[in-house]
């Protein structure tokens, strides 16, 4: 019943995770790392590990084979961290010096985002995280480094190459049709956009590389501009969905009926 909740679902469970499952990332150690169990949170974390592993690669700590032929054992065709280059340093030191520690968010035992995890005197991430013991903090850093050192493989559907796959063109209009459905339903729909994100491009006032789609101003649109322009009741929107019916959802017991505003 609100945009913030819907946007999280659109970005993850109904979108990014499907790309990853089909051909975005595989051969990782997450199930092994969690003793064979895989929770929904793991997929979110897996989505973050790939770019974090690239940071290690840029710091010349993660090494990947130049090529592998069809006879190579998959286990021998993986990116791994160089023990020699890490030189026995502690996980915290490696993650801090490479810039990974400042690139992730931290949560308490109940899953709540920590408001502050910087040491004001040093300007660095706390050696011992708030609400965690020293040993627990070290376990977190050790686990993070272990996962970053075994990112598995990245497929075309992980990044900007995903439009090359046919499923891209099935997922995106499906999500937008649901979005239109929510915005036109007579129920109360809170469209507040909380500018909480630390990554540029995700907040309402962040600019996107699009212009002159609905005008000739030659100015880039912000997310909030596009949010308004793509409203299903915008008369200048050059398309409309022919129906808002989901018979497959109704077969599963979901009530998808609604009366729309005109």
């Amino acid at each position: 019943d609100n945009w913030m909740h819907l946007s999280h679902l659109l970005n993850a469970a109904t979108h990014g995770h499907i790309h990853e499952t089909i051909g975005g990332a595989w051969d990782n150690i997450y199930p092994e790392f969690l003793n064979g169990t895989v929770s929904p949170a793991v997929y979110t974390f897996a989505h973050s590990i790939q770019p974090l592993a690239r940071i290690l690669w840029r710091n010349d700590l993660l090494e990947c084979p130049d090529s592998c032929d069809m006879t190579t054992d998959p286990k021998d065709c993986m990116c791994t961290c160089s023990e020699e280059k890490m030189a026995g340093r502690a996980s915290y030191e490696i993650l801090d010096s490479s810039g990974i520690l400042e690139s992730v968010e931290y949560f308490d035992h109940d899953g709540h985002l920590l408001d502050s995890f910087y040491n004001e005197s040093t300007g660095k991430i706390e050696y011992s995280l708030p609400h965690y013991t020293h040993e627990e903090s070290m376990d977190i850093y050790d686990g993070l480094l272990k996962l970053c050192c075994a990112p598995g493989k990245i497929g075309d559907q992980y990044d900007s190459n995903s439009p090359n796959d046919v499923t891209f063109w099935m997922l995106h209009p499906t999500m937008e049709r649901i979005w239109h459905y929510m915005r036109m339903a007579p129920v109360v729909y809170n469209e507040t956009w909380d500018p909480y994100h630390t990554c540029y491009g995700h907040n309402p006032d962040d600019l996107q590389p699009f212009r002159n789609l609905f005008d000739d101003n030659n100015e880039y649109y912000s997310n909030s501009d596009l949010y308004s322009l793509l409203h299903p009741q915008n008369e200048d929107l050059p398309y409309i969905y022919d129906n808002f019916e989901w018979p497959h959802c109704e077969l599963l017991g979901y009530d998808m009926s609604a009366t729309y505003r005109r």
Side-chain angles (χ1 to χ4, degrees):
D1 61 353
N2 66 83
W3 165 241
M4 293 307 300
H5 183 217
L6 179 62
S7 66
H8 282 295
L9 294 176
L10 295 180
N11 187 50
T14 62
H15 176 217
H17 296 169
I18 297 178
H19 280 308
E20 290 176 355
T21 300
I22 295 175
W26 66 95
D27 278 351
N28 51 59
I29 66 168
Y30 311 121
E32 173 189 339
F33 186 75
L34 296 175
N35 296 320
T37 61
V38 178
S39 68
V42 172
Y43 294 108
T44 301
F45 189 58
H47 185 77
S48 302
I49 281 296
Q50 309 295 348
L52 294 179
R54 292 176 182 177
I55 296 177
L56 284 182
W57 178 79
R58 294 187 185 112
N59 280 269
D60 200 30
L61 295 172
L62 185 71
E63 299 179 340
C64 302
D66 293 330
S67 63
C68 301
D69 59 38
M70 296 301 293
T71 63
T72 304
D73 189 313
K75 293 182 179 179
D76 296 327
C77 188
M78 305 281 281
C79 297
T80 57
C81 284
S82 169
E83 295 292 340
E84 179 182 355
K85 293 178 180 177
M86 291 195 294
R89 290 180 291 162
S91 298
Y92 174 90
E93 181 183 350
I94 295 171
L95 295 170
D96 180 55
S97 62
S98 64
I100 288 180
L101 285 188
E102 62 186 26
S103 302
V104 298
E105 296 175 327
Y106 300 87
F107 299 81
D108 62 21
H109 290 286
D110 296 322
H112 300 134
L113 182 67
L114 297 180
D115 293 331
S116 176
F117 37 81
Y118 277 91
N119 185 308
E120 294 183 1
S121 61
T122 64
K124 293 185 176 183
I125 305 297
E126 291 281 7
Y127 195 64
S128 294
L129 292 167
H131 307 294
Y132 290 94
T133 65
H134 173 75
E135 290 74 17
E136 289 174 331
S137 297
M138 294 306 102
D139 284 342
I140 290 173
Y141 297 139
D142 288 343
L144 178 57
L145 181 60
K146 180 178 180 180
L147 290 172
C148 288
C149 284
K153 298 182 177 66
I154 301 175
D156 286 342
Q157 289 203 54
Y158 177 80
D159 50 29
S160 57
N161 288 321
S162 60
N164 290 329
D165 189 89
V166 65
T167 57
F168 179 95
W169 303 101
M170 297 168 59
L171 286 173
H172 285 250
T174 296
M175 292 187 297
E176 188 187 42
R177 190 163 70 110
I178 294 174
W179 183 35
H180 279 198
Y181 172 83
M182 294 293 293
R183 298 183 82 178
M184 292 194 298
V187 297
V188 176
Y189 179 65
N190 187 342
E191 302 200 56
T192 301
W193 194 331
D194 181 12
Y196 77 97
H197 216 289
T198 58
C199 179
Y200 186 86
H202 291 75
N203 290 318
D205 294 331
D206 293 347
L207 298 178
Q208 296 297 332
F210 308 114
R211 55 185 175 180
N212 301 334
L213 297 177
F214 296 88
D215 52 53
D216 297 319
N217 296 334
N218 205 35
E219 295 180 356
Y220 291 106
Y221 299 112
S222 67
N223 280 326
S224 58
D225 292 334
L226 292 170
Y227 188 90
S228 299
L229 291 168
L230 294 174
H231 195 288
Q233 293 180 326
N234 177 13
E235 294 182 355
D236 294 326
L237 196 66
Y239 63 91
I240 187 173
Y241 290 99
D242 64 343
N243 70 75
F244 294 98
E245 300 173 356
W246 290 270
H248 54 291
C249 293
E250 293 175 353
L251 286 173
L252 294 175
Y254 294 97
D255 181 9
M256 303 298 291
S257 62
T259 302
Y260 301 101
R261 291 192 295 259
R262 294 186 180 275

